[in-house]
């Protein structure tokens, strides 16, 4: 390739801590299943980094994600729990948004003014908070719900609506970090507590021998932000190395939960922002590789993990190409 390496393609701030760049040679990519080679094999690549990480915690995000200042401040305090995994809602930005990299600029405030949609859960995180404060979801914009508890709210290009949303989630929220299920002292009776503690399975998904209710997890857009200890990720051997563009990220979330790590959700004003970009070939890849069989297998596996509270280990001990030595560069 004639493209410059990553170390020269980007402008690296002088204050940035030492950063390691790992280069996987083309022959490794060429040996992947064809379905993985058709697009960027992100979960194989993320496993390479997770396997070789040296810190106590690992944070997995995608290249189109911006971290807000409040969130960065929480991470910088180094007060994370080693017994927890951390998830967060995804706030998507309008195409016209252009982040400023000037020193001292408030990127979060600018992003809040260009909000396009939020991807949350119907009974967790912002979705739960909006219900609690009595703000009608329908009043905010177009809703998309799934049978897995996901909730996507797409806002009109109306500053009044966006302000109403931010006022509700920032001024009335419990944040910036909330553990779900909520501790008993933060609930108002068993009925309220139960809506966080369990989620009923779809009858068509229920299998003999499995309980009818499971702990509810934040599994929406979990490939865009997943934070846990490296030991937790090592225990479940990272992302399943399967030639699928979706579902794999949620498998890791469930596996780490099944291994005994508590779920904590970062709440506004701690936010991540997804920058606008064309979808490219992703919808086509999903249509070609993810069908009823794959979805049924995924539902069966995650349901079993949650019921048994034991992770299903897909990868062997060489996950993340642990048997190979790759070229590294530090900037």
């Amino acid at each position: 390739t004639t493209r410059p390496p990553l170390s020269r393609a980007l402008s690296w701030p002088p204050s940035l801590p030492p950063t390691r760049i790992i280069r996987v040679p083309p022959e490794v990519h060429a040996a992947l299943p064809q379905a993985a080679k058709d697009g960027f094999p992100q979960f194989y690549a993320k496993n390479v980094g997770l396997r070789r990480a040296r810190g106590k915690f690992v944070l997995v995000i995608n290249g189109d994600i911006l971290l807000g200042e409040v969130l960065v401040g929480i991470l910088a305090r180094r007060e994370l729990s080693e017994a927890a995994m951390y998830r967060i809602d995804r706030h998507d930005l309008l195409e016209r948004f252009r982040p400023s990299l000037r020193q001292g600029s408030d990127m979060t405030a600018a992003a809040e003014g260009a909000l396009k949609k939020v991807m949350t859960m119907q009974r967790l995180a912002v979705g739960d908070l909006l219900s609690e404060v009595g703000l009608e979801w329908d009043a905010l914009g177009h809703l998309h719900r799934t049978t897995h508890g996901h909730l996507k709210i797409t806002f009109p290009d109306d500053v009044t609506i966006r302000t109403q949303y931010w006022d509700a989630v920032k001024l009335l929220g419990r944040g910036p970090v909330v553990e779900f299920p909520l501790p008993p002292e933060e609930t108002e009776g068993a009925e309220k507590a139960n809506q966080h503690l369990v989620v009923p399975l779809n009858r068509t998904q229920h299998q003999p021998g499995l309980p009818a209710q499971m702990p509810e997890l934040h599994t929406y857009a979990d490939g865009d932000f997943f934070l846990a200890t490296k030991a937790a990720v090592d225990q479940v051997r990272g992302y399943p190395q399967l030639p699928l563009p979706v579902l794999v990220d949620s498998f890791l979330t469930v596996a780490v939960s099944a291994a005994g790590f508590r779920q904590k959700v970062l709440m506004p004003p701690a936010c991540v922002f997804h920058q606008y970009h064309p979808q490219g070939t992703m919808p086509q890849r999903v249509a070609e590789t993810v069908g009823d069989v794959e979805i049924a297998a995924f539902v069966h596996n995650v349901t079993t993990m949650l019921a048994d509270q034991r992770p299903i280990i897909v990868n062997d001990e060489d996950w993340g190409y642990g048997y190979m030595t790759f070229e590294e560069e530090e900037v």
Side-chain angles (χ1 to χ4, degrees):
T1 179
T2 58
R3 291 181 296 179
L6 191 62
S7 59
R8 297 205 304 270
L10 299 179
S11 298
W12 300 88
S15 59
L16 194 70
T19 302
R20 296 160 57 214
I21 299 174
I22 301 170
R23 181 181 180 274
V24 179
E27 53 266 27
V28 173
H29 181 87
L32 292 174
Q34 184 60 44
K37 290 190 291 186
D38 286 343
F40 178 67
Q42 62 163 310
F43 300 113
Y44 292 82
K46 288 174 177 177
N47 272 359
V48 169
L50 290 170
R51 181 69 186 255
R52 291 159 180 79
R54 297 172 182 167
K56 179 179 292 186
F57 287 87
V58 289
L59 170 61
V60 185
I61 61 173
N62 287 327
D64 51 12
I65 294 296
L66 300 171
L67 306 184
E69 282 85 355
V70 174
L71 174 59
V72 172
I74 292 172
L75 302 181
R77 290 202 296 268
R78 302 191 179 196
E79 297 174 352
L80 300 174
S81 169
E82 294 182 37
M85 65 171 183
Y86 293 82
R87 292 284 295 112
I88 197 168
D89 291 331
R90 195 182 91 180
H91 290 81
D92 285 28
L93 303 175
L94 294 167
E95 182 176 0
R96 65 171 181 260
F97 177 77
R98 295 292 181 270
S100 171
L101 298 181
R102 293 174 298 175
Q103 185 174 2
S105 63
D106 187 354
M107 190 279 296
T108 300
E112 290 173 358
L115 184 64
K116 180 179 181 181
K117 60 187 175 185
V118 59
M119 298 167 69
T120 182
M121 302 293 291
Q122 295 175 41
R123 297 189 294 190
L124 296 175
V126 162
D128 169 75
L129 179 62
L130 295 179
S131 297
E132 183 172 314
V133 300
L135 191 60
E136 295 292 335
W137 294 339
D138 292 320
L140 293 173
H142 176 74
L143 303 183
H144 175 73
R145 299 180 178 92
T146 75
T147 56
H148 303 292
H150 298 163
L151 172 66
K152 178 167 63 177
I153 306 174
T154 302
F155 302 94
D157 195 0
D158 184 333
V159 65
T160 302
I161 298 294
R162 290 196 295 266
T163 300
Q164 184 183 24
Y165 168 79
W166 285 116
D167 285 348
V169 299
K170 291 170 61 177
L171 300 181
L172 304 176
R174 308 183 196 93
V177 183
V178 178
E179 181 176 337
F180 286 98
L182 293 173
E185 64 271 14
E186 294 188 20
T187 62
E188 297 175 2
E191 181 177 351
K192 181 178 178 183
N194 285 340
Q195 73 175 1
H196 303 289
L197 288 171
V198 295
V199 54
L201 289 178
N202 186 304
R203 290 183 182 273
T204 61
Q205 298 172 1
H206 186 253
Q207 303 163 51
L210 296 182
Q213 295 181 317
M214 307 280 174
E216 186 164 11
L217 296 176
H218 193 316
T219 57
Y220 206 176
D222 33 11
D224 287 311
F225 187 98
F226 178 86
L227 173 61
T229 62
K230 176 166 167 44
V233 175
D234 286 345
Q235 183 175 339
V236 301
R237 296 179 180 172
Y239 291 103
Q241 290 176 196
L242 301 172
L244 297 174
V246 293
L247 302 180
V248 177
D249 46 1
S250 295
F251 194 102
L252 176 63
T253 299
V254 176
V256 170
S257 172
F261 293 86
R262 301 193 309 273
Q263 173 182 246
K264 290 181 179 286
V265 179
L266 293 145
M267 302 280 284
C271 297
V272 298
F273 300 97
H274 178 262
Q275 300 179 85
Y276 171 84
H277 60 81
Q279 289 194 9
T281 62
M282 175 61 84
Q284 178 183 349
R285 290 170 54 213
V286 172
E288 292 175 348
T289 58
V290 181
D292 292 341
V293 172
E294 288 77 17
I295 294 175
F298 169 77
V299 171
H300 170 81
N301 287 334
V302 300
T303 301
T304 301
M305 285 193 284
L306 289 175
D308 296 346
Q309 281 298 285
R310 185 172 66 249
I312 296 174
I313 308 299
V314 176
N315 300 327
D316 62 25
E317 61 184 11
D318 290 324
W319 69 277
Y321 299 94
Y323 60 96
M324 300 183 71
T325 300
F326 295 138
E327 174 187 341
E328 291 194 22
E329 182 179 4
E330 187 174 288
V331 294

